[in-house]
Amino acid sequence: MMAADLLTLTPQGLYCPDGDFHIDPWRPVSRALVTHGHSDHARPGMAAYLTTPQALPVIRHRLGAITAQTLPYDQPLSINGVTVSFHPAGHVPGSAQIRVEHRGEVWVVSGDYKTEPDGLAEPFAPVTCHTFITECTFGLPVFRWRPQMETVAEIARWWAANAAAGKTSLLAAYSFGKAQRLLAALPPLGPILTHGAVEEVNQILRAQGYALPQTTRVTPDITGKTHPGALVLAPPSALATPWARRFEPAEEAMASGWMAVRGIRRRRGLGTGFALSDHADWDGLLAAVRATGAGRVRATHGYTEPFARALRDLGLQADTLQTEFLGDDATGDGA
Amino acid sequence: MKAFAALFAALDGTSSTAAKTAALAEYFRTAPEADRVWTIALLSGRRPRRAASSTELRLWAAEAAGVADWLFEESYAVVGDLAETIALILPPPATAAPPPALSLAMSGLIALTGQPAEARRAAILSAWATLPSTERFLYTKLLTGGFRMGVSQGLMTRALAQATGRPEAEIAHALMGDWEPARTSFAALVERAAEGPDSRPYPFALASALEGGPDGLGAPSDWCAEWKWDGIRGQLVARPGAFALWSRGEELITDRFPEFAPLADFLPAGTVIDGEVLAWDTTTGQPQPFAALQRRIGRKTVPKVLLHEAPARLLAYDLLEAGGQDLRALPLATRRARLEALLAGLPADLPLATSPLLAFSDWAALTAARVTARDHRAEGLMLKRAGSAYVGGRKRGDWWKWKLDPFSVDAVMVYAQAGHGRRANLYTDFTFAVRDGDALVPFAKAYSGLSDAEFAEITAWVQRHTLERFGPVRRVPPELVFEIAFEGIQESPRHKSGIALRFPRMVRWRRDKPAVEIDTIETLRALLAAAGGRLPPAPPEDI
C-alpha cells in the first residue's frame, strides 16, 4: 500500500505535499500549475504560475501581470524532487493534463479534456498512470457527441438557410476555445463578425500562430444590414441584449454540449442548439479512463457520483473528489 | 414519420406563433393524408392506450443500452423527459430503411396493446434500433403518452383553417367529440360540420382570470354574475338518437353519471346545455367538496353506494342549442332567459337546475358577495357580459373568473428534487413541512410559483446544503421558508400529515421569516375544519 496520496485536497485546491505545489487552485498559493486559461482553472492571486507556453498568452490576458514560467508539452520538470510534465488535453488551445510522478507513483490530473481532435487544440494524448483524476462534466450515458464534422455541417446549413432568408446568424459560443474551434472548422459561407470578447482571444491565438480565418470585430457602426448573411460569434451572455438586437432580423443558436438535452435548450429560451462540446462525452470519458491503465480513478467536476459508481461497476477503484467549483454545469456556458 | 419529424423540428425550433402556424398549415397541405389525421388526433390530446408502461420502457431501454437501472434513473433525472432519456441513452441507430409513415407507426402501437410483454418488448426494441434519432424520440414520446409539441388546440385549428380555406369556428366544431383517427379520413374529419346532427359538443367558452377586481369592467348592469363552482365543466347534448355528457377535455362521461340518463326523456330533442357537474349534498342543498366528485370521476361504472353518497347534479348556466338551433350568436341574456324557461317546465326532482344569478346593483355589493363564496361551496364568482355571444376558446373580455384568494400557510422546505423537462437541472420540486410540536410534518409538494432566478438561487443552495440523497431527491436543512397557497384542503389518511391540499404552489419565498416562525399542523387542521372537507380523495383520472 502507498503511504499517502500523491495529491490531496486543501482549502486552496488540489495539492502535492511532496512537491509543495497546487494544481488549478482556487485560492492564492505560492506555486500553481495551471491546466488551461478558463476562469475556473486559472484563478488570480497565485505567487507563481506554471503552464504550457501555448496556454500562457490567454492566461496573461485574463489575469494581467503575473509571475509565470512555461513548460512545453511532454517535458519533465522536477519540483522538490517530484517530476511533473504537461500533456495535451484537447480541450482548448494550450490546454494540458498534468502528470505527477514521485518514487515510481504516477498520478495524472486531466484538467478539462475531450478525446476527439477539433482541428485547433493540440489533440488529447492518453498518459499512463496509477491514479487518474478525471473531469466528468458529461459523465452520464445520455451524453454522446456526433462527430464534429456532422455537427459543424449542421451549423453551416443553419447559417446558409438564415442567410438565404435575409437573416443574421447569431451563434453563442464560449469566447475562448469554442468560438475559435468553430472559426477553424466552419466553411467560408459569408462574413464572420465577432464580439469583442471573442475577438480579443482570436488576436492572441493568431499571434501565437494558430490558423484562424479573417473576422471582423463588431463596432457600433456594424449591424445586420452592413454585413448581410453574416455569422456573429458572441459569448452566451451577449444573447438577448441590446448589443445583439442590432443584428435583427436574426436567428439565435448556441453551441454547447448541454444543447444535447432539449429541456436545457428550451430553458435557455433557444429554438436552435448545437451539441458541440469541448468536454469528453460518455464514451470519450470511458475510453480515456481505460487508456490510462489507471487502477484508481477519482472523479471531479460534473456528475462525479454516478460516474464514479459506473466505474466501480466496471471493476475499477473509483471515488469522487469534491472541488469548490461546480465547473461547467448545465447553468453555465463554457461546455 | 419523416414529415412528422420535420414538422416537430420546425415547431420545436421556434417560439413564434406565426411560424408554428405556418409550419403546421404547410404540413396539413402536404403530408400523407392518414398522417394528417393522426397529427390532428395527437395534437388534440387523442392518444391511443399506452402500449407499454413507463416501468417496462425504462427496463427495456436500460437493457438495450447496456446501462444499469440506477444509471438510467440518474440520467433521467438530468434529462427530465423519459422519451428523450431513452432516445439519448440507446446506442446510435443502425441506418436502415426509411422510417414508416406516422399512421403505420401508430397503428403498429395500437396493435401492440394487449399483447404479451415479450412481443411488445421485441417490437419496441426493433423500432428503437432502426429509427433515426428524431423519429426514435418521437416514437418513444408517442409510446409514453400525451404529446402536444407546444401546439395549442387553437393554433392547430388556425393552421387547419389556413390549409383548408374553411372558417376557424367550423373547423373547431368539426374536431370536437368522439372520432377515431384510424377510421376517419382527413376530408371527412374537417367537413364533419356539414353533416347532420350528432352528439358532438360545441367548443367550450373559457374564462380569463380577473385580476384586481371588476372596477374596470364598466357598468355593473352590463354583467351577469354567478358562483364559480368547483366541479367538472360539462356539456349535455340531447339530440334525436343521441344523448351525451362531455367534459371540457372532450371526454365522453355520460356513463359515469347515470343519474342524468332520465334527462334524455325530458329534454326536447336538439338541446345543448353548458353547466357544471357537481356532487350534491341533498340535505343541505349545496355542492359537496370536490373530493366527493373526484370519487365519481375515477371510475367508469358507479357502485350504488357511491350514487347514494355522492349523487351528481348539473347546474346549468347556458343554453347553446334549442330545438336543434344553434343559439350561440344570441346575447347571453337571451340564452339565459330561454334556459330558465326550459328548465322551469321540467319536473323538480331531476338532477338539473340553473346555476343561480346573483343580483347586485354595484361592484361593492358584488365584492361583498364574493367573500361569502366558500359558504356557498363555491370558489369565487363568474362574470359574463350580458350582451355577449358564446365564443369557443378563451376570448378575453366577455367571461371572467374572479376567484377567492387562496388559503395560505408558511412552511419550510425539507426535500428538493430536480424538475423535469424544461426545468431539469434546476431544483424546482420541493416538499414542505409545518411544525407539530418539536417535529416537522411534511404536508405538501409544490413546484411552481417562483421565478427562474429564484429557482437558480435555491438550486445553488440545495447543492451546497444537501444532507442526504435518495436517488434524485435531496434532504436539506429546514431553513428556507415559503408561503404556500392552495385552493382546497381535505382529510387524507394516505398522507402522513392526515391532510391533502388542492393545487398547492409557492407564492413567495419568505426570506424575512426564520423557520421557527412557520405555521403549525394545528393551523392546517383549523383550515380543514373550516373548509368542511371530510371525504378522502380518490386518485384523479383523465378529466
Side-chain angles (χ1 to χ4, degrees):
Chain A
M1 279 309 290
M2 67 203 101
D5 282 348
L6 194 47
L7 294 169
T8 60
L9 268 188
T10 71
Q12 286 72 35
L14 200 53
Y15 178 63
C16 177
D18 293 312
D20 189 23
F21 58 82
H22 282 81
I23 295 177
D24 289 351
W26 47 79
R27 295 212 179 89
V29 298
S30 55
R31 189 195 291 268
L33 276 59
V34 173
T35 57
H36 65 285
H38 280 152
S39 59
D40 52 338
H41 294 261
R43 314 278 305 177
M46 312 301 156
Y49 291 81
L50 178 68
T51 190
T52 66
Q54 291 90 336
L56 184 60
V58 169
I59 294 175
R60 271 204 202 286
H61 169 73
R62 296 192 155 191
L63 300 185
I66 54 169
T67 304
Q69 188 189 341
T70 62
L71 180 64
Y73 286 124
D74 306 317
Q75 280 192 24
L77 174 74
S78 177
I79 305 178
N80 300 323
V82 174
T83 306
V84 302
S85 53
F86 291 91
H87 306 271
H91 176 57
V92 293
S95 71
Q97 311 172 71
I98 298 179
R99 182 184 185 275
V100 180
E101 180 181 357
H102 187 55
R103 295 185 184 149
E105 177 79 12
V106 180
W107 287 45
V108 168
V109 178
S110 76
D112 291 342
Y113 67 98
K114 70 173 175 287
T115 47
E116 188 193 25
D118 66 11
L120 191 67
E122 298 76 7
F124 176 83
V127 182
T128 308
C129 58
H130 299 105
T131 299
F132 186 41
I133 297 179
T134 179
E135 66 125 324
C136 54
T137 307
F138 291 105
L140 286 174
V142 282
F143 296 107
R144 271 206 199 85
W145 317 140
R146 291 188 295 157
Q148 160 168 312
M149 222 174 60
E150 288 180 22
T151 307
V152 166
E154 201 186 321
I155 298 174
R157 281 196 296 278
W158 172 77
W159 179 9
N162 293 340
K167 291 178 176 176
T168 310
S169 302
L170 197 47
L171 183 58
Y174 198 58
S175 52
F176 169 37
K178 189 73 57 66
Q180 292 74 30
R181 167 189 183 187
L182 283 164
L183 282 175
L186 279 166
L189 297 177
I192 298 179
L193 307 176
T194 48
H195 185 276
V198 173
E199 192 53 35
E200 277 166 25
V201 177
N202 287 355
Q203 287 173 1
I204 294 166
L205 294 186
R206 280 195 194 101
Q208 288 179 253
Y210 289 101
L212 294 176
Q214 196 212 324
T215 51
T216 306
R217 183 197 286 260
V218 174
T219 47
D221 53 309
I222 288 182
T223 67
K225 303 233 169 14
T226 60
H227 292 72
L231 174 76
V232 183
L233 277 175
S237 57
L239 287 189
T241 61
W243 181 88
R245 237 163 272 145
R246 74 182 72 197
F247 300 109
E248 285 173 0
E251 287 288 329
E252 290 184 351
M254 178 161 163
S256 157
W258 296 111
M259 296 296 106
V261 175
R262 185 168 168 253
I264 296 175
R265 170 171 64 73
R266 288 159 67 89
R267 184 150 54 75
R268 304 225 27 162
L270 288 164
T272 311
F274 302 104
L276 187 78
S277 179
D278 284 326
H279 295 269
D281 66 358
W282 173 256
D283 294 332
L285 290 169
L286 291 182
V289 165
R290 280 193 203 99
T292 62
R296 182 181 179 202
V297 182
R298 314 200 70 184
T300 182
H301 281 290
Y303 296 110
T304 49
E305 288 175 39
F307 186 63
R309 183 171 168 191
L311 293 179
R312 288 195 295 274
D313 281 2
L314 292 172
L316 289 164
Q317 188 194 342
D319 63 1
T320 68
L321 199 59
Q322 294 307 336
T323 51
E324 182 159 307
F325 297 97
L326 295 168
D328 294 323
D329 70 3
T331 52
D333 296 330
Chain B
M1 290 180 79
K2 219 173 162 155
F4 187 65
L7 171 69
F8 167 75
L11 294 174
D12 198 43
T14 180
S15 54
S16 142
T17 310
K20 283 186 182 185
T21 315
L24 266 171
E26 178 61 16
Y27 176 85
F28 286 133
R29 275 189 285 265
T30 56
E33 201 197 301
D35 289 9
R36 282 183 247 168
V37 175
W38 263 112
T39 302
I40 296 169
L42 294 168
L43 293 183
S44 58
R46 288 173 176 80
R47 52 191 168 85
R49 284 187 50 204
R50 295 177 61 155
S53 71
S54 105
T55 312
E56 287 174 325
L57 293 175
R58 289 169 195 221
L59 282 175
W60 299 341
E63 191 189 306
V67 157
D69 293 348
W70 68 264
L71 188 51
F72 183 91
E73 294 305 318
E74 289 276 357
S75 302
Y76 178 31
V78 166
V79 173
D81 179 281
L82 181 60
E84 190 182 359
T85 307
I86 290 173
L88 290 172
I89 213 164
L90 291 168
T95 33
L102 174 66
S103 55
L104 274 178
M106 293 311 298
S107 47
L109 286 184
I110 291 170
L112 282 183
T113 50
Q115 299 266 340
E118 202 36 53
R120 290 181 289 119
R121 178 179 169 275
I124 289 168
L125 284 181
S126 138
W128 280 343
T130 50
L131 288 173
S133 53
T134 305
E135 280 87 346
R136 175 154 82 183
F137 166 62
L138 293 173
Y139 175 84
T140 314
K141 204 76 186 148
L142 297 171
L143 264 176
T144 56
F147 189 33
R148 287 194 183 236
M149 314 204 292
V151 172
S152 69
Q153 179 114 6
L155 200 154
M156 177 184 71
T157 310
R158 203 173 319 147
L160 270 171
Q162 280 182 17
T164 58
R166 302 176 72 92
E168 247 181 80
E170 212 173 272
I171 296 276
H173 194 193
L175 299 185
M176 297 292 287
D178 202 14
W179 50 273
E180 273 191 49
R183 286 208 290 263
T184 310
S185 77
F186 182 71
L189 181 60
V190 298
E191 282 162 19
R192 275 169 87 215
E195 293 169 15
D198 51 29
S199 74
R200 250 178 315 148
Y202 292 99
F204 283 82
L206 304 177
S208 313
L210 184 65
E211 311 287 353
D215 289 337
L217 294 182
S221 57
D222 290 346
W223 293 86
C224 298
E226 305 161 43
W227 296 118
K228 184 181 186 315
W229 303 113
D230 189 13
I232 300 170
R233 181 78 180 279
Q235 248 182 70
L236 190 70
V237 177
R239 295 199 184 107
F243 179 78
L245 179 63
W246 294 93
S247 76
R248 206 195 103 186
E250 286 176 54
E251 198 181 354
L252 254 185
I253 51 175
T254 323
D255 296 339
R256 298 187 195 187
F257 297 98
E259 50 266 85
F260 295 132
L263 291 171
D265 300 328
F266 289 98
L267 290 172
T271 301
V272 177
I273 289 170
D274 185 9
E276 193 93 356
V277 178
L278 293 157
W280 202 251
D281 185 334
T282 46
T283 50
T284 62
Q286 283 190 328
Q288 295 187 33
F290 186 78
L293 188 63
Q294 237 175 357
R295 299 168 71 199
R296 298 288 306 267
I297 301 167
R299 33 179 98 235
K300 300 252 176 192
T301 57
V302 198
K304 271 222 173 76
V305 59
L306 203 51
L307 277 177
H308 179 71
E309 285 176 7
R313 189 174 181 85
L314 181 69
L315 289 192
Y317 31 69
D318 215 324
L319 184 65
L320 309 184
E321 183 178 312
Q325 279 207 310
D326 183 350
L327 306 186
R328 293 177 297 160
L330 297 177
L332 169 63
T334 311
R335 298 197 310 272
R336 175 81 199 192
R338 293 187 62 168
L339 173 72
E340 285 173 10
L342 172 73
L343 297 199
L346 297 180
D349 58 348
L350 289 175
L352 172 66
T354 50
S355 174
L357 289 182
L358 305 181
F360 65 102
S361 49
D362 52 41
W363 293 128
L366 193 66
T367 306
R370 170 174 167 265
V371 180
T372 69
R374 282 204 181 101
D375 301 337
H376 296 87
R377 299 280 179 256
E379 49 179 16
L381 292 175
M382 291 295 303
L383 281 167
K384 299 173 185 172
R385 196 185 294 275
S388 64
Y390 188 94
V391 180
R394 190 169 276 116
K395 177 183 175 286
R396 271 185 91 79
D398 289 344
W399 276 45
W400 298 100
K401 51 184 172 191
W402 189 22
K403 291 173 74 162
L404 281 178
D405 296 331
F407 298 102
S408 86
V409 293
D410 290 328
V412 69
M413 184 210 289
V414 285
Y415 298 101
Q417 184 172 1
H420 276 194
R422 202 178 77 90
R423 309 201 298 183
N425 300 81
L426 277 185
Y427 283 87
T428 58
D429 299 11
F430 308 138
T431 302
F432 297 97
V434 287
R435 282 195 185 282
D436 182 4
D438 291 335
L440 290 171
V441 189
F443 72 105
K445 279 183 155 187
Y447 47 84
S448 67
L450 300 182
S451 69
D452 283 357
E454 285 172 317
F455 278 129
E457 190 181 341
I458 294 169
T459 296
W461 184 87
V462 169
Q463 284 165 340
R464 288 194 313 270
H465 292 85
T466 300
L467 300 174
E468 243 181 309
R469 293 179 55 147
F470 312 95
V473 177
R474 294 181 177 214
R475 188 165 71 85
V476 295
E479 289 173 16
L480 304 190
V481 176
F482 296 83
E483 182 180 340
I484 308 299
F486 48 97
E487 298 299 319
I489 179 165
Q490 287 131 27
E491 217 164 55
S492 165
R494 293 188 302 130
H495 293 82
K496 217 184 203 171
S497 59
I499 56 153
L501 304 185
R502 198 146 182 253
F503 298 136
R505 71 262 181 194
M506 295 166 267
V507 277
R508 231 173 335 148
W509 182 0
R510 298 291 308 264
R511 297 171 193 259
D512 55 320
K513 203 160 197 180
V516 290
E517 290 177 21
I518 59 170
D519 281 308
T520 62
I521 190 77
E522 282 76 29
T523 316
L524 285 171
R525 288 192 187 126
L527 289 174
L528 175 69
R534 286 283 131 69
L535 290 158
E541 224 182 80
D542 283 318
I543 292 186

